[in-house]
Amino acid sequence: MMFTAHNDNATPHLDSVFAVLSATLAPSARWALRGWADHMREMRHQNHAANSWAKHRDEFGELSAAALALVAARCIDYGMEPDEVMPLLDARIAAREAKRAA
């Protein structure tokens, strides 16, 4: 199932990962994951996606791995290499925690 990006950026990786993951989920979980996928489509660059993950990562419960996969896919849509994604996410999480501690 392909979606139209709400901005000028194509989301082929996000769309593919969402389609695969959602096919394995119960309807209620699929609905929740679709909301996160829609949110990721709104991201204007990979740092925006990473910051959003840093902010919301504790809210997903059993969907955490699937939500993380969507963030990674969105970052890849912006041209990141797969092995660059987790260091970016870790850095944004650390920055958010440092800000919270200050």
Side-chain angles (χ1 to χ4, degrees):
M1 170 182 279
M2 299 299 283
F3 298 96
T4 303
H6 297 288
N7 53 34
D8 293 336
N9 300 303
T11 58
H13 294 95
L14 176 66
D15 294 337
S16 296
V17 170
F18 175 76
V20 169
L21 293 174
S22 67
T24 67
L25 298 173
S28 60
R30 189 177 315 124
W31 180 81
L33 193 62
R34 183 183 187 118
W36 183 243
D38 289 344
H39 179 68
M40 283 292 103
R41 271 184 204 85
E42 294 290 329
M43 302 296 104
R44 291 185 168 88
H45 49 77
Q46 65 272 16
N47 289 337
H48 193 193
N51 286 334
S52 189
W53 173 251
K55 180 178 180 180
H56 298 290
R57 72 187 190 284
D58 294 329
E59 300 172 13
F60 294 102
E62 65 184 20
L63 291 177
S64 185
L68 175 58
L70 293 180
V71 175
R74 188 63 174 125
C75 290
I76 292 167
D77 281 336
Y78 278 109
M80 291 187 74
E81 293 297 322
D83 62 345
E84 297 173 327
V85 174
M86 287 310 297
L88 172 65
L89 297 180
D90 291 341
R92 299 319 310 149
I93 290 167
R96 182 167 182 80
E97 290 175 355
K99 183 178 177 182
R100 199 180 310 165

